[in-house]
Amino acid sequence: MRTAFYISDGTAITSEVFGHATLSMFPVEFNHQTIPFVETTQKAHEIKALIDLTAQNSGDRPLVFFTFVNPELSDIILSSQGVCYDFLALASKVVKKELNVDPVPKIHRTHSIHEASYDFRIEAVNYALANDDGANIKDYEQADIILVGVSRCGKTPTSLYLALQYGIKAANYPMTDDDLEKGNYPRCLLPYKHKLFGLTINPERLAAIREGRMANSKYASLRQCRIEVREVEMLFKRHKTPYLNSTSHSIEEISAKIISETGLTRRKY
């Protein structure tokens, strides 16, 4: 198995994003290793030695995706036996040519705290936690969006990701058997129908998730999952609630699709 390193003098999130996006196009399995905060030449030499050792032990050159502000650190990694990719250097050359302005590198700039955005996100996370799973229906007036769907279809992680990544206040409400039998949204949601966004999921996937939580229960049975999914999708269609099937999408993809379909915007930095 080939090894892929994601290295940075910061969080290495940028290296991971670019690297994963690139490698996802190839039907090859990788051993992924992320190494953040490589901020000294000593640390860079240690990582170079690790890359070289990995190449010697495996017989294959590791793929190395890195971003550094300090060119001295870049040179050390470039001298390794890895196949190195520096996305920022390539992109900054193109942008510099277009803008006719020299870049001013600053360590940790990409993922450092922007105070206003940080406050928005923390407030949104607190809101998502307080309004998870229909726990606090009195605060729906403050919600930017209310995710609805059957239990275990991905509402909670999506709510938290929308809050943490975008600063969006996302509540979520689980549609119960009683709600679905009545064929209507519960009374607490009716004034906020314009804020509702539905999540659904394939019954087989839902049954597998629920089986891990409550094995051999009616709740986890495929029959029950099929009934709930069918009824909730009928409810979405009846009320013209936009909805998305979460089965084959990551939380990041689900969140991005919700943003795209609803027109919600990220809280400004």
Side-chain angles (χ1 to χ4, degrees):
M1 182 183 296
R2 296 290 290 267
T3 297
F5 288 95
Y6 310 98
I7 306 169
S8 177
D9 48 13
T11 63
I13 292 174
T14 302
S15 298
E16 281 188 323
V17 169
F18 278 110
H20 286 173
T22 301
L23 297 185
S24 69
M25 295 186 289
F26 299 92
V28 178
E29 289 191 16
F30 290 91
N31 171 30
H32 302 278
Q33 294 196 38
T34 301
I35 306 174
F37 302 116
V38 180
E39 299 176 290
T40 65
T41 56
Q42 178 183 347
K43 183 66 174 178
H45 280 295
E46 291 175 4
I47 303 310
K48 174 186 179 298
L50 175 60
I51 295 170
D52 292 346
L53 180 62
T54 301
Q56 293 165 18
N57 290 341
S58 68
D60 292 312
R61 298 173 68 191
L63 304 180
V64 182
F65 301 90
F66 71 90
T67 57
F68 287 113
V69 168
N70 185 344
E72 186 177 5
L73 301 180
S74 297
D75 290 341
I76 294 171
I77 299 302
L78 286 168
S79 70
S80 72
Q81 295 179 34
V83 182
C84 300
Y85 304 93
D86 184 355
F87 288 98
L88 285 186
L90 178 61
S92 63
K93 287 179 182 177
V94 175
V95 175
K96 173 185 175 180
K97 183 178 180 180
E98 177 63 27
L99 298 180
N100 197 28
V101 175
D102 288 331
V104 183
K106 180 180 178 183
I107 193 168
H108 305 322
R109 173 178 287 170
T110 306
H111 298 288
S112 61
I113 290 179
H114 300 267
E115 188 171 344
S117 172
Y118 185 78
D119 289 344
F120 275 131
R121 286 183 287 146
I122 293 302
E123 183 181 355
V125 169
N126 289 334
Y127 179 87
L129 291 171
N131 291 272
D132 179 45
D133 216 24
N136 190 21
I137 60 176
K138 71 181 189 314
D139 288 338
Y140 285 170
E141 184 66 37
Q142 301 175 30
D144 296 311
I145 191 170
I146 303 171
L147 302 182
V148 290
V150 299
S151 173
R152 311 305 293 178
C153 68
K155 299 184 303 298
T156 294
T158 303
S159 297
L160 289 170
Y161 188 84
L162 286 169
L164 186 59
Q165 185 68 17
Y166 296 96
I168 287 172
K169 290 185 176 180
N172 72 82
Y173 188 96
M175 300 302 296
T176 65
D177 277 345
D178 288 343
D179 295 326
L180 296 174
E181 286 176 5
K182 294 174 183 175
N184 199 3
Y185 287 120
R187 188 173 300 175
C188 64
L189 293 180
L190 292 177
Y192 307 105
K193 282 179 60 177
H194 61 291
K195 296 185 178 184
L196 301 185
F197 192 98
L199 290 183
T200 186
I201 187 171
N202 290 356
E204 294 77 13
R205 175 59 179 155
L206 180 60
I209 294 172
R210 289 182 174 184
E211 186 69 20
R213 185 176 178 87
M214 295 181 63
N216 303 315
S217 64
K218 176 186 176 183
Y219 169 77
S221 71
L222 182 56
R223 179 178 182 275
Q224 179 66 21
C225 291
R226 283 174 173 163
I227 292 172
E228 290 186 29
V229 169
R230 182 181 67 245
E231 293 296 323
V232 80
E233 290 183 358
M234 289 174 59
L235 181 65
F236 294 156
K237 292 173 183 177
R238 188 179 306 123
H239 289 274
K240 295 182 172 56
T241 302
Y243 70 95
L244 172 69
N245 189 312
S246 66
T247 306
S248 59
H249 299 297
S250 67
I251 297 301
E252 295 87 347
E253 290 173 322
I254 295 168
S255 300
K257 286 177 179 292
I258 289 173
I259 294 293
S260 176
E261 291 193 27
T262 61
L264 289 172
T265 58
R266 183 195 297 267
R267 291 290 188 269
K268 300 299 183 183
Y269 288 136

